[in-house]
Amino acid sequence: MNNEFIMPAPPLPRTPAEEEKLRGRLTGFKIGYDEGYLRGRLAILDGRPEEPIPVRNLHVMYVASGKGYPYSPLDEAVLYALQKLTTQVTITDVRQNLVGLADAQRPDLVLVLDGLELPLDQVAELRGRGIKTAIWLTDDPYYTDFTINIVAHYDYVFTLERNCVEIYRGLGCTEVHYLPFAAHREHYRPTTGRSPVQRDVSFIGSAYWNRINFFRDIMPELMSYNTVINGIWWDRLPEAPLYGERIEIGKWMTPQETAVTYSGSKIVINLHRAHVDELDNNNKLYIPAASPNPRTFEIAASGTLQLSDARDDMGTFYKVGEEIDTFSSPQEMMDKIRYYLTHEEQRRDMALRAFERTLKDHTYTKRLNQLLTIIYG
């Protein structure tokens, strides 16, 4: 028997089509691995219970905005947190007789959300009965023409805009505090299984004119990716018909729909509205906006990468460049979109860090505990 070793024949070279197929398969494996790793890590973090906060022996009367959607999800978030933090909560809204209800219920604190439609004589009567009153303003600085007329009627004023604090103090309010909104985990959380939404880039928001002007010149490049825009007034954009259903006009998305869309997008753009807008604002003092909007926290709570326009106070809440990233021009935004769509590991790690930061510091339970601590110590 001949035991001579016989070299195997070398494999036949692959054809260009076979090479392309192999590259596609390897790319698919890599994408699947990256997506599975991200969803798995998000599931682990999302499963951690929130740090417990002691319950206060307080009775809070919560006065909802009474404006319906999109304010009602804010009402749900605040009410949920109050019910976890206090022994008793009475829920009402600005259309009810608060004085009669307070006489019957005797709350320790009346907390009003928005309050633009609440008769101020009711607030005066509540204070006259020795009941503490507080208002949490929802739209600073965009409606300060109205809010400057009501803030002095409350014992405590909470604003989500840092630049409004001194304005209100100048009106004689002694207790004015900066308290931005947050993420409600019952509404905003990541999709930890396979997402029904698959997008490269998403933007959800109303088409204020600063947003129209920002997007117009870069629309061809932005929409060359799998990009979808949702929100009202996008028929203001002349080029909107060119993109068909990828610009969804006139739909208010629920928080749950929004969270699924955020979580299924590789990048979510957060472009704040402008503080100067003669058509849509009521801000004759032109108070500039420095603070992050509620969407900042909601995007981060959905487990995706956020690109936001730069705001002066953003770094107070997230580490810019580590937890979220920012841009100062349309071209810088496009440069960063290109970068993060081709650097999966950086995109994934930043999304995870922002998600973890949000769970730790930026939930409504944490915010309402801050509010109660300011009032009661």
Side-chain angles (χ1 to χ4, degrees):
M1 178 179 295
N2 186 355
N3 294 323
E4 184 179 352
F5 176 74
I6 300 175
M7 291 286 292
L12 295 174
R14 284 187 286 266
T15 66
E18 290 171 331
E19 287 283 359
E20 183 67 25
K21 185 177 181 180
L22 179 60
R23 283 195 296 270
R25 183 180 302 166
L26 293 175
T27 299
F29 287 154
K30 179 68 166 59
I31 292 172
Y33 171 82
D34 290 337
E35 181 73 6
Y37 180 87
L38 174 62
R39 300 296 166 189
R41 290 288 298 148
L42 289 170
I44 291 170
L45 293 171
D46 194 41
R48 294 178 182 174
E50 191 169 356
E51 178 186 354
I53 299 173
V55 176
R56 297 172 185 264
N57 185 22
L58 290 174
H59 177 190
V60 179
M61 179 188 291
Y62 177 61
V63 184
S65 63
K67 291 183 174 181
Y69 200 80
Y71 291 85
S72 52
L74 297 176
D75 288 320
E76 291 176 33
V78 175
L79 181 61
Y80 179 89
L82 285 174
Q83 289 171 334
K84 291 179 67 176
L85 295 171
T86 63
T87 52
Q88 185 177 351
V89 180
T90 298
I91 176 69
T92 184
D93 64 49
V94 296
R95 297 165 294 191
Q96 309 306 316
N97 180 353
L98 304 187
V99 177
L101 185 58
D103 286 342
Q105 297 288 334
R106 298 305 303 171
D108 301 296
L109 171 69
V110 173
L111 174 60
V112 179
L113 188 78
D114 180 70
L116 293 182
E117 298 179 8
L118 176 61
L120 294 174
D121 59 340
Q122 292 204 48
V123 182
E125 289 195 47
L126 292 168
R127 294 179 74 183
R129 285 161 166 75
I131 300 172
K132 292 181 186 293
T133 60
I135 185 169
W136 199 359
L137 298 168
T138 59
D139 292 292
D140 281 342
Y142 311 110
Y143 292 94
T144 46
D145 295 351
F146 307 131
T147 58
I148 60 175
N149 297 317
I150 67 174
V151 289
H153 294 264
Y154 290 85
D155 296 306
Y156 294 86
V157 176
F158 296 90
T159 173
L160 50 67
E161 174 51 54
R162 185 187 69 185
N163 285 338
C164 284
V165 172
E166 291 305 320
I167 299 292
Y168 296 147
R169 286 177 180 166
L171 298 173
C173 303
T174 57
E175 292 284 355
V176 183
H177 302 275
Y178 176 33
L179 192 71
F181 285 152
H184 183 32
R185 290 190 66 189
E186 301 303 305
H187 289 162
Y188 291 94
R189 61 195 328 149
T191 303
T192 54
R194 183 174 177 82
S195 176
V197 175
Q198 301 288 330
R199 297 183 185 178
D200 289 334
V201 183
S202 283
F203 177 80
I204 299 176
S206 302
Y208 293 108
W209 284 109
N210 72 298
R211 292 171 174 168
I212 293 289
N213 295 331
F214 183 94
F215 280 125
R216 278 201 74 180
D217 289 343
I218 58 169
M219 280 298 288
E221 185 178 5
L222 178 63
M223 301 303 278
S224 70
Y225 299 102
N226 178 16
T227 301
V228 181
I229 296 173
N230 308 86
I232 62 173
W233 304 337
W234 281 99
D235 49 351
R236 290 175 171 179
L237 179 68
E239 295 83 5
L242 297 176
Y243 302 104
E245 294 182 353
R246 294 175 63 198
I247 298 182
E248 189 175 35
I249 298 171
K251 178 183 178 182
W252 282 109
M253 298 174 71
T254 67
Q256 291 81 4
E257 289 175 314
T258 303
V260 169
T261 301
Y262 285 162
S263 191
S265 303
K266 293 182 177 180
I267 297 172
V268 176
I269 298 169
N270 181 11
L271 181 61
H272 292 72
R273 61 190 289 188
H275 71 278
V276 177
D277 187 326
E278 299 295 340
L279 183 63
D280 296 312
N281 287 355
N282 293 276
N283 180 18
K284 291 178 182 176
L285 296 176
Y286 298 122
I287 301 168
S291 304
N293 57 16
R295 185 177 286 113
T296 303
F297 308 106
E298 294 163 356
I299 295 170
S302 302
T304 191
L305 171 65
Q306 176 173 182
L307 289 182
S308 174
D309 57 323
R311 283 222 159 170
D312 291 347
D313 206 33
M314 188 70 76
T316 301
F317 303 93
Y318 294 99
K319 293 180 180 178
V320 176
E322 295 183 27
E323 295 170 338
I324 68 170
D325 212 341
T326 60
F327 54 84
S328 299
S329 68
Q331 195 53 56
E332 185 181 10
M333 185 189 78
M334 291 309 310
D335 290 344
K336 291 190 174 182
I337 285 174
R338 283 192 296 272
Y339 178 83
Y340 286 112
L341 288 179
T342 55
H343 292 76
E344 173 61 28
E345 187 173 342
Q346 289 94 322
R347 181 188 76 84
R348 179 189 69 206
D349 290 348
M350 192 172 289
L352 288 169
R353 286 191 289 263
F355 181 62
E356 192 164 14
R357 170 72 64 185
T358 305
L359 299 189
K360 179 176 179 290
D361 294 333
H362 303 313
T363 65
Y364 275 94
T365 307
K366 295 291 175 65
R367 293 289 194 268
L368 267 296
N369 187 57
Q370 287 178 262
L371 183 149
L372 295 174
T373 299
I374 288 168
I375 298 174
Y376 291 101

